[in-house]
């Protein structure tokens, strides 16, 4: 059975709650990722995704340099333990209507798991 810890991304990418959406979008572009964890000080308070930016800023022609990440982020974060199976992760994602899970517990975050990560074993089988 494939576990979350085998597929999760360990390098966390974060942006500050008060940062402009344009800064977050540029960071995603540079790092070639689709989401950023949102911090307020030392606390993780949400996640901002490409979809959030498109649906909540671009679609309304809002100037992204004047909208703060905290205004469009999704919160609270949905999490899973690193020892859980990817089937459990998929079920949590479906039930929570999210494509990203924080991997960890109440005291520590170890990584992120996205729908794209869940496709990795399938992609390897196709090669």
């Amino acid at each position: 059975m494939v576990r979350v810890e085998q597929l999760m991304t360990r390098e966390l990418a974060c942006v500050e709650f008060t940062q402009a959406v344009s800064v977050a979008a540029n960071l995603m572009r540079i790092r070639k990722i689709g989401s950023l964890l949102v911090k307020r000080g030392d606390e993780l308070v949400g996640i901002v995704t490409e979809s959030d930016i498109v649906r909540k800023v671009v679609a309304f022609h809002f100037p992204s340099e004047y909208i703060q990440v905290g205004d469009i982020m999704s919160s609270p974060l949905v999490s899973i333990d690193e020892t859980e199976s990817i089937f459990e992760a998929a079920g949590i994602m479906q039930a929570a209507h999210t494509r990203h899970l924080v991997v960890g517990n109440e005291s520590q975050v170890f990584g992120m798991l996205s729908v794209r990560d869940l496709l990795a074993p399938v992609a390897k089988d196709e090669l």
Side-chain angles (χ1 to χ4, degrees):
M1 170 178 22
V2 179
R3 298 195 185 283
V4 168
E5 63 191 342
Q6 295 172 267
L7 299 180
M8 71 182 193
T9 302
R10 295 180 190 279
E11 187 177 326
L12 299 175
C14 299
V15 65
E16 185 60 35
F17 182 85
T18 57
Q19 200 63 260
V21 169
S22 59
V23 172
N26 196 42
L27 182 57
M28 286 184 215
R29 179 189 60 82
I30 290 167
R31 299 207 42 196
K32 298 180 180 156
I33 56 177
S35 66
L36 297 167
L37 291 172
V38 180
K39 294 179 91 172
R40 186 183 295 151
D42 291 333
E43 182 184 4
L44 291 175
V45 294
I47 186 170
V48 64
T49 66
E50 291 171 331
S51 294
D52 291 326
I53 294 170
V54 170
R55 292 180 181 155
K56 299 173 184 176
V57 179
V58 176
F60 293 101
H61 303 284
F62 292 147
S64 63
E65 61 272 13
Y66 299 115
I67 307 292
Q68 292 184 351
V69 169
D71 294 333
I72 68 161
M73 71 179 187
S74 298
S75 183
L77 292 167
V78 181
S79 64
I80 189 168
D81 187 88
E82 64 185 331
T83 60
E84 293 289 343
S85 75
I86 60 170
F87 300 108
E88 179 69 19
I92 291 171
M93 286 180 185
Q94 184 176 18
H97 304 288
T98 186
R99 296 183 204 169
H100 300 85
L101 298 175
V102 173
V103 181
N105 53 42
E106 292 180 19
S107 62
Q108 190 173 10
V109 173
F110 304 111
M112 286 283 298
L113 186 73
S114 73
V115 169
R116 289 179 187 164
D117 297 327
L118 295 180
L119 295 174
V122 176
K124 288 178 184 173
D125 284 347
E126 293 295 320
L127 295 177

